[in-house]
Amino acid sequence: MREHLERVAVVLDEVMGETAATGVMTPWQHVDWLRLHADLLDRLGAAAGAGSAVSGRGELVRDRAERMADRLNRVPSVEAGPADGRPVDDLLEHRTVSGDLHGFRGDPPPER
């Protein structure tokens, strides 16, 4: 069952990412979309159990939604980006949209 839930999570990431990439949503709709994505991943992670590839991915997407909401509210960020200079949000969106999910499976955080 765990493998099936992990496959469902990959498809969910692809569909949610493709929809977000269409650009038809307002910024606040995008924040809500990311929050929905995070909630669905949390449910899949809970069903798959601790230590699965799905567990913890919802939190990463939720963090992105909250950073985006902070930017929309003009709250200054206290986070610096990764060493390569790309914003954290760009890396997460790229991984989500491209289906490159290895970053969600326990990779160490980028060096700052």
Side-chain angles (χ1 to χ4, degrees):
M1 180 164 156
R2 181 182 270 194
E3 288 178 14
H4 179 69
L5 292 171
E6 291 171 1
R7 285 195 312 262
V8 169
V10 169
V11 171
L12 175 67
D13 286 336
E14 291 171 0
V15 171
M16 298 291 284
E18 287 171 7
T19 303
T22 62
V24 297
M25 290 185 261
T26 67
W28 281 110
Q29 287 173 328
H30 193 173
V31 169
D32 286 339
W33 190 251
L34 288 170
R35 288 174 177 159
L36 173 62
H37 187 177
D39 290 344
L40 293 170
L41 286 172
D42 284 344
R43 289 177 180 261
L44 287 170
S52 76
V54 182
S55 123
R57 283 176 36 196
E59 191 60 35
L60 295 172
V61 176
R62 183 171 291 99
D63 287 346
R64 178 165 188 265
E66 297 315 313
R67 284 192 306 272
M68 187 175 190
D70 287 346
R71 281 197 313 270
L72 291 170
N73 287 324
R74 293 181 167 67
V75 175
S77 175
V78 295
E79 267 188 26
D84 68 0
R86 292 174 63 189
V88 174
D89 290 343
D90 290 351
L91 292 171
L92 181 59
E93 184 170 8
H94 170 74
R95 287 180 172 171
T96 302
V97 172
S98 71
D100 177 14
L101 302 175
H102 73 275
F104 294 115
R105 295 192 178 120
D107 284 357
E111 293 182 21
R112 296 181 187 249

